[in-house]
Amino acid sequence: GKIVRRAGFEGTSYWRAGADGQARTGSEHAVLRQQRRDAYLSSFGWFFPERFPATFRLGSDVSLVNQKFQVLHVTPQDADGFDLWLDPSTHLVRRIVAGPEYADLSEYKVFDGVCTATLGRQGTGDPKGDVVLHVVSVATSAPAPPTVFVPPPAPRQ
């Protein structure tokens, strides 16, 4: 029920809606690289290499809480890179690390033929600021309407 972030990206510029409801747009190079990375992540771009070109490099294995992970470094075209931490026994993504942020993923389920995590904990290392996401359904039948990429109208005064 809580909106934690309202933002959009249409490929060349981005917008973010603040707590006041005002949308602010921009096209700063560094922010665009982050927006492209985040769009790639939210689109699961690694499953669509023809649409979303990227380079992949296998990293060193890491351990966290007595569990070993295989790390895959991903750098989408014209975007900041990130790391996917894979469970070597299932090959499921268990952690995504992008800059100072991470998302731990678990409780995978299949919705209409699509396997996805249904529990995610996103943070920066301070548990007080963590955001927990619960996925209850996944719609796969229709593409998102173009209006979801447009900044929201200014709030009424």
PDB file of all heavy atoms in Angstrom, residues 119-157:
ATOM      1  N   LEU A 119       9.410 -12.801  -2.973  1.00  0.00           N
ATOM      2  CA  LEU A 119       9.830 -12.034  -1.801  1.00  0.00           C
ATOM      3  C   LEU A 119      11.158 -11.371  -2.119  1.00  0.00           C
ATOM      4  O   LEU A 119      12.108 -12.027  -2.561  1.00  0.00           O
ATOM      5  CB  LEU A 119       9.972 -12.939  -0.569  1.00  0.00           C
ATOM      6  CG  LEU A 119      10.397 -12.255   0.725  1.00  0.00           C
ATOM      7  CD1 LEU A 119       9.371 -11.201   1.156  1.00  0.00           C
ATOM      8  CD2 LEU A 119      10.578 -13.274   1.832  1.00  0.00           C
ATOM      9  N   GLY A 120      11.215 -10.077  -1.917  1.00  0.00           N
ATOM     10  CA  GLY A 120      12.445  -9.330  -2.147  1.00  0.00           C
ATOM     11  C   GLY A 120      12.677  -8.362  -1.012  1.00  0.00           C
ATOM     12  O   GLY A 120      11.740  -7.738  -0.513  1.00  0.00           O
ATOM     13  N   ARG A 121      13.916  -8.259  -0.595  1.00  0.00           N
ATOM     14  CA  ARG A 121      14.301  -7.278   0.427  1.00  0.00           C
ATOM     15  C   ARG A 121      15.367  -6.403  -0.199  1.00  0.00           C
ATOM     16  O   ARG A 121      16.428  -6.872  -0.569  1.00  0.00           O
ATOM     17  CB  ARG A 121      14.828  -7.955   1.677  1.00  0.00           C
ATOM     18  CG  ARG A 121      15.273  -6.959   2.749  1.00  0.00           C
ATOM     19  CD  ARG A 121      15.742  -7.651   4.021  1.00  0.00           C
ATOM     20  NE  ARG A 121      14.678  -8.355   4.694  1.00  0.00           N
ATOM     21  CZ  ARG A 121      13.783  -7.809   5.521  1.00  0.00           C
ATOM     22  NH1 ARG A 121      13.837  -6.527   5.774  1.00  0.00           N
ATOM     23  NH2 ARG A 121      12.857  -8.532   6.079  1.00  0.00           N
ATOM     24  N   GLN A 122      15.050  -5.115  -0.329  1.00  0.00           N
ATOM     25  CA  GLN A 122      15.948  -4.164  -0.978  1.00  0.00           C
ATOM     26  C   GLN A 122      16.492  -3.212   0.062  1.00  0.00           C
ATOM     27  O   GLN A 122      15.764  -2.733   0.926  1.00  0.00           O
ATOM     28  CB  GLN A 122      15.173  -3.388  -2.037  1.00  0.00           C
ATOM     29  CG  GLN A 122      16.003  -2.454  -2.855  1.00  0.00           C
ATOM     30  CD  GLN A 122      15.188  -1.812  -3.965  1.00  0.00           C
ATOM     31  OE1 GLN A 122      14.150  -2.338  -4.377  1.00  0.00           O
ATOM     32  NE2 GLN A 122      15.641  -0.679  -4.446  1.00  0.00           N
ATOM     33  N   GLY A 123      17.800  -2.944  -0.014  1.00  0.00           N
ATOM     34  CA  GLY A 123      18.391  -2.033   0.944  1.00  0.00           C
ATOM     35  C   GLY A 123      19.783  -1.601   0.572  1.00  0.00           C
ATOM     36  O   GLY A 123      20.281  -1.894  -0.520  1.00  0.00           O
ATOM     37  N   THR A 124      20.415  -0.914   1.529  1.00  0.00           N
ATOM     38  CA  THR A 124      21.783  -0.424   1.350  1.00  0.00           C
ATOM     39  C   THR A 124      22.690  -0.864   2.490  1.00  0.00           C
ATOM     40  O   THR A 124      23.817  -0.399   2.583  1.00  0.00           O
ATOM     41  CB  THR A 124      21.802   1.113   1.263  1.00  0.00           C
ATOM     42  OG1 THR A 124      21.238   1.643   2.466  1.00  0.00           O
ATOM     43  CG2 THR A 124      21.043   1.618   0.055  1.00  0.00           C
ATOM     44  N   GLY A 125      22.205  -1.711   3.366  1.00  0.00           N
ATOM     45  CA  GLY A 125      22.997  -2.169   4.497  1.00  0.00           C
ATOM     46  C   GLY A 125      22.455  -1.707   5.836  1.00  0.00           C
ATOM     47  O   GLY A 125      22.807  -2.248   6.877  1.00  0.00           O
ATOM     48  N   ASP A 126      21.579  -0.709   5.842  1.00  0.00           N
ATOM     49  CA  ASP A 126      20.944  -0.240   7.065  1.00  0.00           C
ATOM     50  C   ASP A 126      19.543  -0.851   7.126  1.00  0.00           C
ATOM     51  O   ASP A 126      18.658  -0.429   6.371  1.00  0.00           O
ATOM     52  CB  ASP A 126      20.858   1.280   7.078  1.00  0.00           C
ATOM     53  CG  ASP A 126      20.156   1.833   8.315  1.00  0.00           C
ATOM     54  OD1 ASP A 126      19.801   1.039   9.229  1.00  0.00           O
ATOM     55  OD2 ASP A 126      19.963   3.065   8.378  1.00  0.00           O
ATOM     56  N   PRO A 127      19.341  -1.852   8.004  1.00  0.00           N
ATOM     57  CA  PRO A 127      18.035  -2.544   8.035  1.00  0.00           C
ATOM     58  C   PRO A 127      16.835  -1.614   8.253  1.00  0.00           C
ATOM     59  O   PRO A 127      15.733  -1.931   7.830  1.00  0.00           O
ATOM     60  CB  PRO A 127      18.172  -3.532   9.199  1.00  0.00           C
ATOM     61  CG  PRO A 127      19.640  -3.691   9.401  1.00  0.00           C
ATOM     62  CD  PRO A 127      20.278  -2.399   8.968  1.00  0.00           C
ATOM     63  N   LYS A 128      17.042  -0.464   8.887  1.00  0.00           N
ATOM     64  CA  LYS A 128      15.929   0.459   9.117  1.00  0.00           C
ATOM     65  C   LYS A 128      15.383   1.018   7.805  1.00  0.00           C
ATOM     66  O   LYS A 128      14.229   1.397   7.731  1.00  0.00           O
ATOM     67  CB  LYS A 128      16.365   1.616  10.024  1.00  0.00           C
ATOM     68  CG  LYS A 128      16.650   1.193  11.449  1.00  0.00           C
ATOM     69  CD  LYS A 128      16.987   2.391  12.303  1.00  0.00           C
ATOM     70  CE  LYS A 128      18.398   2.831  11.923  1.00  0.00           C
ATOM     71  NZ  LYS A 128      18.941   3.881  12.770  1.00  0.00           N
ATOM     72  N   GLY A 129      16.213   1.059   6.761  1.00  0.00           N
ATOM     73  CA  GLY A 129      15.775   1.601   5.490  1.00  0.00           C
ATOM     74  C   GLY A 129      15.369   0.550   4.476  1.00  0.00           C
ATOM     75  O   GLY A 129      15.039   0.883   3.336  1.00  0.00           O
ATOM     76  N   ASP A 130      15.376  -0.727   4.876  1.00  0.00           N
ATOM     77  CA  ASP A 130      15.018  -1.800   3.948  1.00  0.00           C
ATOM     78  C   ASP A 130      13.572  -1.680   3.486  1.00  0.00           C
ATOM     79  O   ASP A 130      12.701  -1.242   4.234  1.00  0.00           O
ATOM     80  CB  ASP A 130      15.199  -3.177   4.583  1.00  0.00           C
ATOM     81  CG  ASP A 130      16.642  -3.627   4.621  1.00  0.00           C
ATOM     82  OD1 ASP A 130      17.527  -2.867   4.183  1.00  0.00           O
ATOM     83  OD2 ASP A 130      16.890  -4.753   5.101  1.00  0.00           O
ATOM     84  N   VAL A 131      13.345  -2.082   2.250  1.00  0.00           N
ATOM     85  CA  VAL A 131      12.005  -2.164   1.683  1.00  0.00           C
ATOM     86  C   VAL A 131      11.765  -3.634   1.355  1.00  0.00           C
ATOM     87  O   VAL A 131      12.588  -4.277   0.709  1.00  0.00           O
ATOM     88  CB  VAL A 131      11.885  -1.310   0.397  1.00  0.00           C
ATOM     89  CG1 VAL A 131      10.544  -1.518  -0.262  1.00  0.00           C
ATOM     90  CG2 VAL A 131      12.128   0.152   0.705  1.00  0.00           C
ATOM     91  N   VAL A 132      10.649  -4.182   1.836  1.00  0.00           N
ATOM     92  CA  VAL A 132      10.306  -5.571   1.565  1.00  0.00           C
ATOM     93  C   VAL A 132       9.176  -5.590   0.542  1.00  0.00           C
ATOM     94  O   VAL A 132       8.166  -4.904   0.706  1.00  0.00           O
ATOM     95  CB  VAL A 132       9.888  -6.306   2.853  1.00  0.00           C
ATOM     96  CG1 VAL A 132       9.480  -7.740   2.545  1.00  0.00           C
ATOM     97  CG2 VAL A 132      11.016  -6.281   3.874  1.00  0.00           C
ATOM     98  N   LEU A 133       9.388  -6.359  -0.513  1.00  0.00           N
ATOM     99  CA  LEU A 133       8.401  -6.462  -1.589  1.00  0.00           C
ATOM    100  C   LEU A 133       7.833  -7.872  -1.627  1.00  0.00           C
ATOM    101  O   LEU A 133       8.591  -8.844  -1.591  1.00  0.00           O
ATOM    102  CB  LEU A 133       9.063  -6.149  -2.935  1.00  0.00           C
ATOM    103  CG  LEU A 133       9.792  -4.804  -3.032  1.00  0.00           C
ATOM    104  CD1 LEU A 133      10.642  -4.745  -4.288  1.00  0.00           C
ATOM    105  CD2 LEU A 133       8.799  -3.671  -3.002  1.00  0.00           C
ATOM    106  N   HIS A 134       6.508  -7.975  -1.702  1.00  0.00           N
ATOM    107  CA  HIS A 134       5.829  -9.264  -1.828  1.00  0.00           C
ATOM    108  C   HIS A 134       5.078  -9.267  -3.160  1.00  0.00           C
ATOM    109  O   HIS A 134       4.226  -8.418  -3.389  1.00  0.00           O
ATOM    110  CB  HIS A 134       4.819  -9.473  -0.694  1.00  0.00           C
ATOM    111  CG  HIS A 134       5.437  -9.584   0.645  1.00  0.00           C
ATOM    112  ND1 HIS A 134       5.904 -10.770   1.150  1.00  0.00           N
ATOM    113  CD2 HIS A 134       5.687  -8.656   1.596  1.00  0.00           C
ATOM    114  CE1 HIS A 134       6.404 -10.570   2.343  1.00  0.00           C
ATOM    115  NE2 HIS A 134       6.291  -9.294   2.634  1.00  0.00           N
ATOM    116  N   VAL A 135       5.400 -10.214  -4.014  1.00  0.00           N
ATOM    117  CA  VAL A 135       4.711 -10.348  -5.299  1.00  0.00           C
ATOM    118  C   VAL A 135       3.593 -11.359  -5.110  1.00  0.00           C
ATOM    119  O   VAL A 135       3.829 -12.480  -4.669  1.00  0.00           O
ATOM    120  CB  VAL A 135       5.684 -10.825  -6.402  1.00  0.00           C
ATOM    121  CG1 VAL A 135       4.941 -11.084  -7.694  1.00  0.00           C
ATOM    122  CG2 VAL A 135       6.798  -9.804  -6.601  1.00  0.00           C
ATOM    123  N   VAL A 136       2.365 -10.960  -5.443  1.00  0.00           N
ATOM    124  CA  VAL A 136       1.232 -11.870  -5.302  1.00  0.00           C
ATOM    125  C   VAL A 136       0.716 -12.355  -6.651  1.00  0.00           C
ATOM    126  O   VAL A 136       0.035 -13.370  -6.731  1.00  0.00           O
ATOM    127  CB  VAL A 136       0.077 -11.246  -4.480  1.00  0.00           C
ATOM    128  CG1 VAL A 136       0.510 -11.016  -3.043  1.00  0.00           C
ATOM    129  CG2 VAL A 136      -0.398  -9.948  -5.101  1.00  0.00           C
ATOM    130  N   SER A 137       1.031 -11.615  -7.735  1.00  0.00           N
ATOM    131  CA  SER A 137       0.626 -12.057  -9.057  1.00  0.00           C
ATOM    132  C   SER A 137       1.548 -11.430 -10.098  1.00  0.00           C
ATOM    133  O   SER A 137       2.193 -10.422  -9.840  1.00  0.00           O
ATOM    134  CB  SER A 137      -0.830 -11.678  -9.355  1.00  0.00           C
ATOM    135  OG  SER A 137      -0.966 -10.280  -9.440  1.00  0.00           O
ATOM    136  N   VAL A 138       1.567 -12.057 -11.267  1.00  0.00           N
ATOM    137  CA  VAL A 138       2.351 -11.566 -12.390  1.00  0.00           C
ATOM    138  C   VAL A 138       1.469 -11.647 -13.628  1.00  0.00           C
ATOM    139  O   VAL A 138       0.913 -12.703 -13.924  1.00  0.00           O
ATOM    140  CB  VAL A 138       3.637 -12.409 -12.593  1.00  0.00           C
ATOM    141  CG1 VAL A 138       4.365 -11.968 -13.852  1.00  0.00           C
ATOM    142  CG2 VAL A 138       4.548 -12.313 -11.386  1.00  0.00           C
ATOM    143  N   ALA A 139       1.325 -10.532 -14.336  1.00  0.00           N
ATOM    144  CA  ALA A 139       0.551 -10.500 -15.578  1.00  0.00           C
ATOM    145  C   ALA A 139       1.523 -10.600 -16.740  1.00  0.00           C
ATOM    146  O   ALA A 139       2.465  -9.823 -16.832  1.00  0.00           O
ATOM    147  CB  ALA A 139      -0.254  -9.209 -15.667  1.00  0.00           C
ATOM    148  N   THR A 140       1.285 -11.562 -17.627  1.00  0.00           N
ATOM    149  CA  THR A 140       2.202 -11.771 -18.745  1.00  0.00           C
ATOM    150  C   THR A 140       1.531 -11.614 -20.096  1.00  0.00           C
ATOM    151  O   THR A 140       2.186 -11.728 -21.116  1.00  0.00           O
ATOM    152  CB  THR A 140       2.803 -13.186 -18.678  1.00  0.00           C
ATOM    153  OG1 THR A 140       1.742 -14.145 -18.768  1.00  0.00           O
ATOM    154  CG2 THR A 140       3.588 -13.397 -17.409  1.00  0.00           C
ATOM    155  N   SER A 141       0.238 -11.341 -20.126  1.00  0.00           N
ATOM    156  CA  SER A 141      -0.494 -11.393 -21.385  1.00  0.00           C
ATOM    157  C   SER A 141      -0.436 -10.128 -22.219  1.00  0.00           C
ATOM    158  O   SER A 141      -0.602 -10.189 -23.430  1.00  0.00           O
ATOM    159  CB  SER A 141      -1.958 -11.739 -21.114  1.00  0.00           C
ATOM    160  OG  SER A 141      -2.527 -10.767 -20.272  1.00  0.00           O
ATOM    161  N   ALA A 142      -0.221  -8.974 -21.633  1.00  0.00           N
ATOM    162  CA  ALA A 142      -0.268  -7.735 -22.416  1.00  0.00           C
ATOM    163  C   ALA A 142       0.923  -6.850 -22.062  1.00  0.00           C
ATOM    164  O   ALA A 142       1.335  -6.805 -20.906  1.00  0.00           O
ATOM    165  CB  ALA A 142      -1.562  -6.990 -22.123  1.00  0.00           C
ATOM    166  N   PRO A 143       1.449  -6.143 -23.051  1.00  0.00           N
ATOM    167  CA  PRO A 143       2.537  -5.211 -22.743  1.00  0.00           C
ATOM    168  C   PRO A 143       2.006  -4.021 -21.944  1.00  0.00           C
ATOM    169  O   PRO A 143       0.811  -3.710 -21.992  1.00  0.00           O
ATOM    170  CB  PRO A 143       3.034  -4.768 -24.121  1.00  0.00           C
ATOM    171  CG  PRO A 143       1.906  -5.034 -25.054  1.00  0.00           C
ATOM    172  CD  PRO A 143       1.127  -6.178 -24.469  1.00  0.00           C
ATOM    173  N   ALA A 144       2.906  -3.374 -21.231  1.00  0.00           N
ATOM    174  CA  ALA A 144       2.519  -2.182 -20.467  1.00  0.00           C
ATOM    175  C   ALA A 144       2.114  -1.073 -21.428  1.00  0.00           C
ATOM    176  O   ALA A 144       2.744  -0.888 -22.468  1.00  0.00           O
ATOM    177  CB  ALA A 144       3.682  -1.724 -19.608  1.00  0.00           C
ATOM    178  N   PRO A 145       1.073  -0.327 -21.083  1.00  0.00           N
ATOM    179  CA  PRO A 145       0.682   0.786 -21.958  1.00  0.00           C
ATOM    180  C   PRO A 145       1.754   1.878 -21.923  1.00  0.00           C
ATOM    181  O   PRO A 145       2.406   2.091 -20.901  1.00  0.00           O
ATOM    182  CB  PRO A 145      -0.635   1.280 -21.342  1.00  0.00           C
ATOM    183  CG  PRO A 145      -0.591   0.819 -19.926  1.00  0.00           C
ATOM    184  CD  PRO A 145       0.222  -0.448 -19.912  1.00  0.00           C
ATOM    185  N   PRO A 146       1.945   2.603 -23.030  1.00  0.00           N
ATOM    186  CA  PRO A 146       2.976   3.646 -23.076  1.00  0.00           C
ATOM    187  C   PRO A 146       2.802   4.727 -22.010  1.00  0.00           C
ATOM    188  O   PRO A 146       3.764   5.385 -21.633  1.00  0.00           O
ATOM    189  CB  PRO A 146       2.831   4.241 -24.479  1.00  0.00           C
ATOM    190  CG  PRO A 146       2.127   3.207 -25.283  1.00  0.00           C
ATOM    191  CD  PRO A 146       1.271   2.434 -24.313  1.00  0.00           C
ATOM    192  N   THR A 147       1.587   4.901 -21.502  1.00  0.00           N
ATOM    193  CA  THR A 147       1.335   5.953 -20.513  1.00  0.00           C
ATOM    194  C   THR A 147       2.092   5.730 -19.204  1.00  0.00           C
ATOM    195  O   THR A 147       2.300   6.686 -18.473  1.00  0.00           O
ATOM    196  CB  THR A 147      -0.169   6.059 -20.218  1.00  0.00           C
ATOM    197  OG1 THR A 147      -0.659   4.775 -19.827  1.00  0.00           O
ATOM    198  CG2 THR A 147      -0.931   6.558 -21.435  1.00  0.00           C
ATOM    199  N   VAL A 148       2.521   4.506 -18.924  1.00  0.00           N
ATOM    200  CA  VAL A 148       3.251   4.281 -17.664  1.00  0.00           C
ATOM    201  C   VAL A 148       4.633   4.927 -17.693  1.00  0.00           C
ATOM    202  O   VAL A 148       5.250   5.096 -16.646  1.00  0.00           O
ATOM    203  CB  VAL A 148       3.377   2.781 -17.294  1.00  0.00           C
ATOM    204  CG1 VAL A 148       2.029   2.129 -17.160  1.00  0.00           C
ATOM    205  CG2 VAL A 148       4.261   2.039 -18.268  1.00  0.00           C
ATOM    206  N   PHE A 149       5.111   5.327 -18.863  1.00  0.00           N
ATOM    207  CA  PHE A 149       6.425   5.934 -18.980  1.00  0.00           C
ATOM    208  C   PHE A 149       6.375   7.462 -18.976  1.00  0.00           C
ATOM    209  O   PHE A 149       7.402   8.127 -19.019  1.00  0.00           O
ATOM    210  CB  PHE A 149       7.125   5.443 -20.252  1.00  0.00           C
ATOM    211  CG  PHE A 149       7.248   3.944 -20.289  1.00  0.00           C
ATOM    212  CD1 PHE A 149       6.429   3.183 -21.096  1.00  0.00           C
ATOM    213  CD2 PHE A 149       8.186   3.289 -19.490  1.00  0.00           C
ATOM    214  CE1 PHE A 149       6.535   1.797 -21.107  1.00  0.00           C
ATOM    215  CE2 PHE A 149       8.285   1.920 -19.498  1.00  0.00           C
ATOM    216  CZ  PHE A 149       7.466   1.172 -20.311  1.00  0.00           C
ATOM    217  N   VAL A 150       5.167   8.023 -18.932  1.00  0.00           N
ATOM    218  CA  VAL A 150       4.970   9.463 -18.982  1.00  0.00           C
ATOM    219  C   VAL A 150       4.915  10.010 -17.558  1.00  0.00           C
ATOM    220  O   VAL A 150       4.278   9.412 -16.682  1.00  0.00           O
ATOM    221  CB  VAL A 150       3.651   9.779 -19.742  1.00  0.00           C
ATOM    222  CG1 VAL A 150       3.355  11.271 -19.748  1.00  0.00           C
ATOM    223  CG2 VAL A 150       3.721   9.229 -21.142  1.00  0.00           C
ATOM    224  N   PRO A 151       5.553  11.166 -17.306  1.00  0.00           N
ATOM    225  CA  PRO A 151       5.468  11.739 -15.953  1.00  0.00           C
ATOM    226  C   PRO A 151       4.019  12.005 -15.555  1.00  0.00           C
ATOM    227  O   PRO A 151       3.193  12.336 -16.405  1.00  0.00           O
ATOM    228  CB  PRO A 151       6.248  13.055 -16.073  1.00  0.00           C
ATOM    229  CG  PRO A 151       7.099  12.911 -17.287  1.00  0.00           C
ATOM    230  CD  PRO A 151       6.371  11.970 -18.201  1.00  0.00           C
ATOM    231  N   PRO A 152       3.711  11.879 -14.266  1.00  0.00           N
ATOM    232  CA  PRO A 152       2.336  12.158 -13.809  1.00  0.00           C
ATOM    233  C   PRO A 152       2.028  13.651 -13.913  1.00  0.00           C
ATOM    234  O   PRO A 152       2.942  14.479 -13.898  1.00  0.00           O
ATOM    235  CB  PRO A 152       2.352  11.686 -12.351  1.00  0.00           C
ATOM    236  CG  PRO A 152       3.780  11.803 -11.942  1.00  0.00           C
ATOM    237  CD  PRO A 152       4.594  11.510 -13.174  1.00  0.00           C
ATOM    238  N   PRO A 153       0.748  13.976 -14.013  1.00  0.00           N
ATOM    239  CA  PRO A 153       0.388  15.402 -14.056  1.00  0.00           C
ATOM    240  C   PRO A 153       0.693  16.060 -12.712  1.00  0.00           C
ATOM    241  O   PRO A 153       0.740  15.388 -11.677  1.00  0.00           O
ATOM    242  CB  PRO A 153      -1.113  15.373 -14.341  1.00  0.00           C
ATOM    243  CG  PRO A 153      -1.567  14.034 -13.891  1.00  0.00           C
ATOM    244  CD  PRO A 153      -0.406  13.106 -14.061  1.00  0.00           C
ATOM    245  N   ALA A 154       0.866  17.369 -12.746  1.00  0.00           N
ATOM    246  CA  ALA A 154       1.112  18.120 -11.512  1.00  0.00           C
ATOM    247  C   ALA A 154      -0.108  18.022 -10.606  1.00  0.00           C
ATOM    248  O   ALA A 154      -1.248  17.972 -11.083  1.00  0.00           O
ATOM    249  CB  ALA A 154       1.401  19.575 -11.835  1.00  0.00           C
ATOM    250  N   PRO A 155       0.107  17.946  -9.286  1.00  0.00           N
ATOM    251  CA  PRO A 155      -1.036  17.858  -8.381  1.00  0.00           C
ATOM    252  C   PRO A 155      -1.876  19.147  -8.429  1.00  0.00           C
ATOM    253  O   PRO A 155      -1.350  20.228  -8.709  1.00  0.00           O
ATOM    254  CB  PRO A 155      -0.402  17.677  -6.992  1.00  0.00           C
ATOM    255  CG  PRO A 155       1.014  18.099  -7.149  1.00  0.00           C
ATOM    256  CD  PRO A 155       1.374  17.973  -8.596  1.00  0.00           C
ATOM    257  N   ARG A 156      -3.154  18.993  -8.159  1.00  0.00           N
ATOM    258  CA  ARG A 156      -4.051  20.152  -8.155  1.00  0.00           C
ATOM    259  C   ARG A 156      -3.757  20.994  -6.927  1.00  0.00           C
ATOM    260  O   ARG A 156      -3.487  20.482  -5.860  1.00  0.00           O
ATOM    261  CB  ARG A 156      -5.512  19.701  -8.132  1.00  0.00           C
ATOM    262  CG  ARG A 156      -5.921  19.023  -9.408  1.00  0.00           C
ATOM    263  CD  ARG A 156      -7.374  18.705  -9.372  1.00  0.00           C
ATOM    264  NE  ARG A 156      -7.722  17.969 -10.595  1.00  0.00           N
ATOM    265  CZ  ARG A 156      -8.889  17.444 -10.801  1.00  0.00           C
ATOM    266  NH1 ARG A 156      -9.842  17.555  -9.910  1.00  0.00           N
ATOM    267  NH2 ARG A 156      -9.123  16.813 -11.923  1.00  0.00           N
ATOM    268  N   GLN A 157      -3.839  22.289  -7.112  1.00  0.00           N
ATOM    269  CA  GLN A 157      -3.567  23.240  -6.012  1.00  0.00           C
ATOM    270  C   GLN A 157      -4.834  23.550  -5.259  1.00  0.00           C
ATOM    271  O   GLN A 157      -5.882  23.594  -5.715  1.00  0.00           O
ATOM    272  CB  GLN A 157      -2.950  24.518  -6.557  1.00  0.00           C
ATOM    273  CG  GLN A 157      -1.641  24.269  -7.250  1.00  0.00           C
ATOM    274  CD  GLN A 157      -0.526  23.849  -6.299  1.00  0.00           C
ATOM    275  OE1 GLN A 157      -0.586  24.068  -5.103  1.00  0.00           O
ATOM    276  NE2 GLN A 157       0.487  23.192  -6.835  1.00  0.00           N
TER     277      GLN A 157
END
